[in-house]
């Protein structure tokens, strides 16, 4: 069920489960998508659940430099932006999913530094 998307130059692995309003689950340090265990299945009964893996975790490659909260926030923002672009493209192709993802405001990411 996993896919990859280029998120700001980082080939990011993510999984999608269920249907409904979108919910994004972000694993903690040293975790993977599997860290959410049974929560994904339960949430997927009511929502479309997205579970990305962060840099250097699981199936997302490590990149040079330290893993910091700011870097993870930037990666997450890039992933949300990439997913929004994909949803907009899908909207153009199928007339559905346009509001599934919206780009994250950059001021939110920069405030975490």
């Amino acid at each position: 069920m996993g896919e990859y998307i280029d998120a700001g130059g980082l080939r990011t692995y993510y999984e999608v489960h269920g249907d409904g309003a979108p919910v994004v689950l972000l694993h903690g340090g040293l975790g993977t998508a599997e860290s959410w265990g049974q929560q994904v299945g339960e949430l997927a009964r009511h929502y479309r659940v997205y579970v990305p893996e962060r840099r250097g975790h699981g199936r997302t490659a490590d990149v040079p430099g330290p893993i910091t909260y700011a870097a993870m926030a930037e990666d997450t923002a890039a992933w949300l932006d990439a997913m929004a672009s994909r949803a907009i493209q899908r909207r153009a192709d199928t007339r559905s999913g346009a509001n599934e993802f919206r780009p994250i405001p950059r001021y939110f990411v920069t405030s975490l530094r």
Side-chain angles (χ1 to χ4, degrees):
M1 266 196 227
E3 299 181 46
Y4 287 89
I5 191 168
D6 182 309
L10 179 62
R11 186 172 181 254
T12 302
Y13 176 85
Y14 70 98
E15 296 180 2
V16 181
H17 305 270
D19 288 306
V23 171
V24 177
L25 300 177
L26 300 174
H27 64 76
L30 306 178
T32 65
E34 287 78 18
S35 299
W36 289 103
Q38 295 178 338
Q39 292 96 327
V40 169
E42 188 62 29
L43 287 168
R45 293 177 53 216
H46 306 283
Y47 302 98
R48 187 165 180 83
V49 181
Y50 293 83
V51 189
E53 290 184 337
R54 297 168 181 236
R55 65 171 60 202
H57 293 78
R59 289 150 284 220
T60 298
D62 198 2
V63 295
I67 296 177
T68 64
Y69 289 121
M72 289 188 295
E74 286 287 347
D75 291 347
T76 301
W79 180 80
L80 288 167
D81 286 346
M83 294 299 290
S85 295
R86 181 175 281 183
I88 290 166
Q89 180 62 43
R90 190 172 61 226
R91 169 82 166 127
D93 293 343
T94 66
R95 300 284 201 206
S96 66
N99 295 319
E100 193 163 313
F101 279 96
R102 296 186 183 167
I104 189 168
R106 287 291 171 212
Y107 66 84
F108 174 77
V109 174
T110 56
S111 70
L112 295 174
R113 291 188 181 154

